[in-house]
Amino acid sequence: MAAPAYPAWVTRWVSGQWRNKKRPPALRPPRTLGAAAATCITEMSVMMACWKQNDFNDTPCAEEIRMFYDCVAKAEKERKNQNEDTLSSKGNLPSSKVNKLLKRFPQITRYA
């Protein structure tokens, strides 16, 4: 069985070559449970159950569809109104915020 082929940055990371003035790969922060939580699942389930009962016809399920779209609109509005300092849904930070955080929390500059 052949050894798995890893990307080149993994080899450099493991061997410590990135410490010799080579930049390490960009790592994204892990997502929090709150950011990963889904919204409107109940409304979507009710809408799909209605579609299944009515052979996927939209007319008898108009109320369920409207409730789902209202929930989605409300969730989008809440997401846009979140504080600017929180992570986006992808978990990325703009470079200005990263620099600000790195100044507040300096990193180790030498290794033991």
Side-chain angles (χ1 to χ4, degrees):
M1 178 179 263
Y6 294 109
W9 69 266
V10 172
T11 306
R12 287 193 310 271
W13 183 268
V14 171
S15 68
Q17 289 179 7
W18 62 271
R19 293 184 190 127
N20 301 328
K21 297 185 181 180
K22 291 184 180 179
R23 293 183 64 183
L27 299 175
R28 291 185 180 160
R31 292 183 181 161
T32 61
L33 188 59
T39 57
C40 304
I41 297 296
T42 305
E43 289 84 354
M44 184 171 53
S45 298
V46 170
M47 179 182 68
M48 290 183 172
C50 180
W51 276 342
K52 188 173 181 180
Q53 288 175 347
N54 295 296
D55 295 324
F56 299 97
N57 188 359
D58 285 347
T59 308
C61 301
E63 181 64 23
E64 288 82 358
I65 294 170
R66 186 192 58 75
M67 287 174 51
F68 174 69
Y69 280 123
D70 289 346
C71 180
V72 170
K74 181 180 174 187
E76 279 293 313
K77 188 175 180 182
E78 287 175 6
R79 186 183 64 82
K80 287 182 181 179
N81 290 336
Q82 280 183 342
N83 191 356
E84 190 177 299
D85 291 335
T86 59
L87 292 176
S88 68
S89 61
K90 289 183 178 178
N92 294 330
L93 288 173
S95 61
S96 60
K97 292 198 187 308
V98 170
N99 289 335
K100 184 178 176 182
L101 288 171
L102 287 173
K103 285 179 184 175
R104 283 182 59 197
F105 305 102
Q107 302 296 305
I108 298 172
T109 56
R110 62 183 188 280
Y111 298 93

